[in-house]
Amino acid sequence: MAQLTVCLLTHNSLRTLAPCLAPALEIADELVVVDSGSSDGTLEYLAGQGVTPIHRPYKTHAEQMNFAISQASHDWVLCLDSDEFLDPETLAAIRALKPQLNDPDTAYRIRRYWRVLGREVHGIYPVSSPDFPLRLFNRQKVRFNDVPVDDKATGARKRIVLPGHVVHDTFFSLHEVFAKLNGYTSRLVSFQDVPPSLGRAVFSPPFAFLKWYLRKGGWRDGAVGLVTGAYAALYTFLKYFKSWCRARGIPLQ
């Protein structure tokens, strides 16, 4: 039977850590937790569960997750963020799968539903809900690609969707929505070529709002749908505006 390492990233994760950690421990033969400087009680909670995290400053999600993978003792890894909760059906599927994990070219995707401000939504820019991230794989074949935002695990020849799902409980408050929006866009323009265009900053956001509110189904999500539509519009504005500022030497922070 294959041994499985669960790789978990944390940063001020106390709100979501218990429902994330408990199911992960049910299937983990080894747990690797990489923390990027929590100060909210996350470290104390982990200590209470007998878990000692590895501290590593955060640069990008891909770098952090690839580092966690490199610390695993086993080749088969399951990668989670601390606001993702595995359901019982997924746990049962992984238990049943472990004796059959013998093809390193096959990797497994998990159906993921996004929750924003406590409500399940139809999408949050730039992903629709559900999406199907690749999360269980052999580390000899798969790594996360080196992009600053919205990275993905790549390298598997064959991908299979596991039964069950994971809930991604992101953006618990409006403050968190806009704080992460600011961080994501600053990181994006710092590490990736974004056209420095005031024109795009002005004219693209309304189309982004309409796409995510109307075509992507945000209107079905009530007031939260207005938030996710506004998020798409502001993200679009900020990435072009910050790139324009950066090209002119204006500090982003």
Side-chain angles (χ1 to χ4, degrees), residues 15 18 22 29 38 60 65 82 86 89 112 114 117 132 147 150 165 172 179 193 212 215 236 242 245:
R15 179 182 71 85
D29 298 294
S38 292
T60 68
M65 194 61 88
S82 57
L86 296 166
E89 188 178 3
R112 178 172 62 176
W114 289 70
L117 303 179
F132 298 85
V147 297
D150 305 318
H165 68 274
F172 184 69
D193 250 349
W212 286 87
R215 188 153 72 87
T236 304
K242 287 184 176 182
C245 290

Side-chain angles (χ1 to χ4, degrees), residues 196-213:
S197 172
L198 270 184
R200 292 189 184 188
V202 172
F203 294 110
S204 296
F207 293 100
F209 176 86
L210 291 174
K211 176 180 178 180
W212 286 87
Y213 186 70

Side-chain angles (χ1 to χ4, degrees), residues 13-210:
S13 304
L14 188 60
R15 179 182 71 85
T16 58
L17 193 52
C20 172
L21 189 61
L25 287 173
E26 290 186 34
I27 52 170
D29 298 294
E30 177 188 43
L31 177 69
V32 172
V33 178
V34 178
D35 185 85
S36 54
S38 292
S39 58
D40 68 338
T42 292
L43 302 180
E44 292 78 5
Y45 182 86
L46 290 170
Q49 302 300 308
V51 177
T52 302
I54 303 168
H55 173 72
R56 185 177 191 271
Y58 189 94
K59 186 175 180 182
T60 68
H61 181 271
E63 280 196 14
Q64 201 78 345
M65 194 61 88
N66 285 334
F67 173 79
I69 292 168
S70 74
Q71 302 303 300
S73 301
H74 310 303
D75 282 339
W76 286 97
V77 296
L78 172 67
C79 297
L80 292 173
D81 292 325
S82 57
D83 55 0
E84 295 178 329
F85 317 144
L86 296 166
D87 78 325
E89 188 178 3
T90 305
L91 295 178
I94 293 174
R95 287 193 197 97
L97 182 65
K98 285 172 74 173
Q100 307 169 40
L101 289 175
N102 51 23
D103 178 10
D105 289 315
T106 299
Y108 300 87
R109 302 165 71 191
I110 299 178
R111 181 180 287 102
R112 178 172 62 176
Y113 292 96
W114 289 70
R115 187 184 294 164
V116 175
L117 303 179
R119 174 169 178 157
E120 190 173 302
V121 296
H122 287 78
I124 177 73
Y125 181 86
V127 295
S128 297
S129 177
D131 63 340
F132 298 85
L134 196 70
R135 288 302 183 83
L136 197 164
F137 50 81
N138 190 297
R139 66 175 183 166
Q140 299 297 331
K141 297 290 184 175
V142 177
R143 281 290 194 276
F144 283 78
N145 59 359
D146 188 21
V147 297
V149 182
D150 305 318
D151 53 278
K152 299 176 181 178
T154 61
R157 292 184 184 176
K158 183 178 181 182
R159 298 170 172 82
I160 297 173
V161 178
L162 288 172
H165 68 274
V166 62
V167 172
H168 191 178
D169 189 13
T170 189
F171 298 147
F172 184 69
S173 67
L174 283 176
H175 171 76
E176 187 179 4
V177 170
F178 295 111
K180 287 191 175 181
L181 172 68
N182 184 49
Y184 290 161
T185 51
S186 290
R187 192 158 62 246
L188 181 69
V189 300
S190 295
F191 291 96
Q192 188 170 306
D193 250 349
V194 177
S197 172
L198 270 184
R200 292 189 184 188
V202 172
F203 294 110
S204 296
F207 293 100
F209 176 86
L210 291 174

